Amino acid sequence: MSSKKNKISSMAAALAVALAPVPASSIVHHDVSISRHSTSTLSLQDVKDSVAYLPIDEATSYMLNLADRMKTHRANLRIEWEEKQIPIILKNHKKETQEGFESLFRHIAVCASFVEAARVALKSVPESNAELRKEIVAFARSAATLRYTIEDILSFIESTHVPKKTSDADLGVTADQVHALIRSEHKKLGLEDPTFH
């Protein structure tokens, strides 16, 4: 069995007894106060492979709290971008900010493992234990919420850049050819002949 499968199995076993994993390296970390455009306060610390186990309800709250903090960072990024209207280029930021953003990718992978562990755990928890099953599902949703919040941050950063696949190449089609195509489609559909301005 691979190392990843072993980790997921261990997490699933813990979930089956109402303990849930959270990223260990950020468990005692608290945000400093956030000013309006301080992208350098990104607060997810580096995640390697370590997790800590908390009672499942506490772990769920913890993960939702992390997601809320990430939503605040996303809002701050947007405010900063709207004021400056320039692409967010991570290499132009402080080293600690760059490292914070790099850790986001690891957090996505960790959250995916948490969700997979919850799937495995649900298979071993009997339907009769509805309360634990409900807690496992809530934990999985909190991990998914954090993952999608982080992915939204990364997507937003990417959206501040000009798309990579743009082309200035001439399409080789004239306006008359486009108009003729539109007219033929209108005719096929039984519509009135279009007018062009």
Side-chain angles (χ1 to χ4, degrees):
M1 191 182 285
S2 73
S3 173
K4 182 178 178 182
K5 284 185 180 179
N6 281 335
K7 287 176 190 170
I8 288 174
S9 294
S10 297
M11 288 183 226
L15 284 165
V17 293
L19 290 174
V22 296
S25 59
S26 61
I27 197 163
V28 296
H29 181 68
H30 298 285
D31 280 321
V32 293
S33 62
I34 299 170
S35 66
R36 253 180 52 147
H37 353 7
S38 53
T39 56
S40 62
T41 60
L42 188 70
S43 64
L44 277 181
Q45 292 182 353
D46 194 16
V47 172
K48 299 297 183 202
D49 293 324
S50 58
V51 295
Y53 289 89
L54 300 174
I56 196 166
D57 59 332
E58 289 178 32
T60 300
S61 294
Y62 179 78
M63 297 294 282
L64 289 172
N65 180 269
L66 277 176
D68 286 343
R69 287 168 38 200
M70 291 298 97
K71 288 174 187 173
T72 300
H73 291 300
R74 165 66 164 82
N76 286 342
L77 276 172
R78 181 163 193 88
I79 289 167
E80 181 179 5
W81 180 79
E82 285 176 352
E83 288 179 2
K84 295 179 180 177
Q85 292 288 313
I86 58 172
I88 297 171
I89 302 171
L90 295 178
K91 67 180 180 180
N92 294 346
H93 289 268
K94 295 180 198 174
K95 183 179 179 192
E96 65 184 26
T97 302
Q98 291 178 38
E99 290 169 354
F101 277 99
E102 289 167 6
S103 76
L104 293 178
F105 294 99
R106 288 185 290 280
H107 273 79
I108 290 169
V110 167
C111 288
S113 295
F114 291 173
V115 171
E116 183 59 30
R119 282 191 186 114
V120 172
L122 285 171
K123 291 177 185 174
S124 68
V125 175
E127 295 285 337
S128 59
N129 196 343
E131 188 58 35
L132 178 56
R133 292 179 66 81
K134 183 178 169 184
E135 288 180 328
I136 292 170
V137 169
F139 172 74
R141 286 185 176 148
S142 71
T145 298
L146 177 58
R147 176 183 178 174
Y148 296 131
T149 302
I150 292 169
E151 288 174 341
D152 186 46
I153 289 171
L154 297 172
S155 239
F156 175 73
I157 291 169
E158 184 66 27
S159 75
T160 67
H161 296 258
V162 175
K164 291 177 182 160
K165 293 187 177 183
T166 59
S167 174
D168 294 330
D170 181 23
L171 296 177
V173 180
T174 66
D176 290 336
Q177 290 171 321
V178 171
H179 292 168
L181 177 63
I182 293 171
R183 279 188 192 96
S184 71
E185 290 300 315
H186 274 241
K187 186 175 182 178
K188 286 179 191 175
L189 295 170
L191 301 173
E192 292 181 22
D193 202 29
T195 55
F196 302 101
H197 303 282

